[in-house]
Amino acid sequence: MDAEGWRNAMRDWALPDAILAAAPESPWGFPVELFRSRAELATPGGLTFANRRARDALPDGGTVLDIGVGAGAASLPLRPRCSLIIGVDSSKQQLSEFRRQAHRANVTVRTLMGEWPAVARRSPVADVVACNHVAYNIADLAPFVLALTAHARRRVVMEMTSRHPTAWMADLWWQFHALKRPARPDANDVVSVLRTLGLNVRRHAEVTPGRAGGFAHREDAVAWIRRRLCLEANRDADVAAALGERLTNDGACWTVRPPVEPVVTVWWDVRPEGAE
Ligand SMILES: C[S@@+](CC[C@H](N)C(=O)[O-])C[C@H]1O[C@@H](n2cnc3c(N)ncnc32)[C@H](O)[C@@H]1O
């Protein structure tokens, strides 16, 4: 798949106007609680594969630019090697949660609010650029990724689920709206697009239980999926029933994920200016 194929595949994910018009609340956006819990689970003592690829390229006292930072799960665990983390996000609420998490962890951070790559010109360059679980939000992947590369002195690391993060909801869309959902793009497509851009990308896939994040209350987990499905609040019981065993409590929080969802890390090194 090339960049145009990506744009076309992403277009297939658009929801029909009739479903959106009837939605009582916006189905878009990310609950802060979900990404706060992800950030709280992400510690320097429990680095993920993607965290380790980022750490390996960081000089002591280096800098990290985290695009789509959420509450900071991709970058805050790197703090023992960092002098500064810059978090970019289009959501004001996510950025304020990121600052709160950084304060708790005693890390120096800066934040930049806006959509990448539109805000890229206002962003500093960093040793490592991290971008976890954002790719499937991006309709136009080529300029997004080229701006990541242009802002890294050493390495770019992206992490994503192997399938689109809502692909697992296909049966729910069918049950509640008789709507078929697409299967692509997927992580293989991310890699293909990056290679067509001339990036020397490496990839690694693994199943990483326990880092998805979740909700303190069962009803909040159900309500999130119900909003995503563009349904009224009075359908929560139906949504919970349809989720079945996917709605689980792992002892720490309520999650609404399929039990096994491989996570893919892709990373590439950036040749320092002037290098042969
Ligand atoms: C699924 S969350 C991932 C958060 C975090 N990276 C993590 O792994 O926990 C995606 C985040 O990217 C942000 N986002 C999505 N598209 C963006 C864009 N084009 N520019 C900046 N932020 C974006 C969202 O607001 C959200 O906070």
Side-chain angles (χ1 to χ4, degrees):
M1 180 180 284
D2 62 6
E4 194 188 340
W6 179 274
R7 271 196 299 277
N8 293 335
M10 288 300 290
R11 215 170 282 136
D12 290 344
W13 279 93
L15 290 173
D17 289 344
I19 291 181
L20 279 176
E25 294 173 67
S26 167
W28 313 127
F30 298 96
V32 170
E33 182 180 3
L34 185 59
F35 295 100
R36 178 194 308 139
S37 62
R38 274 174 63 77
E40 285 173 354
L41 288 166
T43 62
L47 297 185
T48 61
F49 184 88
N51 294 152
R52 292 199 299 275
R53 293 293 71 74
R55 181 207 53 197
D56 293 350
L58 262 179
D60 258 338
T63 56
V64 177
L65 177 62
D66 187 346
I67 307 299
V69 65
S75 51
L76 289 175
L78 305 172
R79 57 188 176 264
R81 285 185 85 89
C82 288
S83 59
L84 174 68
I85 300 172
I86 306 127
V88 179
D89 206 290
S90 48
S91 155
K92 193 174 166 195
Q93 291 76 16
Q94 299 283 2
L95 285 178
S96 71
E97 184 58 33
F98 169 59
R99 282 191 295 271
R100 212 177 66 83
Q101 294 290 334
H103 182 72
R104 203 175 63 106
N106 203 17
V107 194
T108 305
V109 298
R110 278 176 57 190
T111 53
L112 175 59
M113 196 177 105
E115 296 258 341
W116 190 269
V119 292
R121 265 189 299 171
R122 288 167 42 214
S123 167
V125 167
D127 294 309
V128 170
V129 173
C131 182
N132 286 10
H133 302 281
V134 187
Y136 297 110
N137 280 94
I138 307 304
D140 209 355
L141 196 57
F144 182 91
V145 159
L146 292 173
L148 298 181
T149 307
H151 283 74
R153 269 185 227 105
R154 297 184 176 213
R155 179 173 286 177
V156 181
V157 182
M158 295 178 80
E159 184 186 80
M160 69 217 66
T161 43
S162 65
R163 298 184 302 160
H164 187 286
T166 66
W168 66 271
M169 290 173 61
D171 65 304
L172 303 177
W173 281 104
W174 183 250
Q175 177 175 337
F176 290 102
H177 294 284
L179 181 70
K180 278 199 175 161
R181 301 306 280 146
R184 289 178 70 188
D186 58 21
N188 288 334
D189 296 323
V190 174
V191 171
S192 305
V193 173
L194 300 187
R195 289 190 173 144
T196 65
L197 296 173
L199 298 169
N200 191 10
V201 172
R202 285 174 282 174
R203 63 167 284 163
H204 170 86
E206 67 181 19
V207 176
T208 52
R211 282 289 296 270
F215 298 82
H217 302 289
R218 181 181 183 275
E219 59 269 29
D220 292 335
V222 175
W224 179 45
I225 298 306
R226 181 252 303 156
R227 279 196 301 278
R228 289 216 137 187
L229 289 167
C230 300
L231 296 170
E232 303 276 350
N234 63 11
R235 305 299 302 277
D236 277 357
D238 300 330
V239 170
L243 281 167
E245 291 182 356
R246 290 173 288 194
L247 177 61
T248 54
N249 189 313
D250 64 6
C253 57
W254 288 93
T255 60
V256 282
R257 279 288 180 123
V260 176
E261 188 70 72
V263 167
V264 176
T265 302
V266 302
W267 72 103
W268 60 100
D269 289 330
V270 177
R271 191 191 301 213
E273 240 173 82
E276 287 299 302

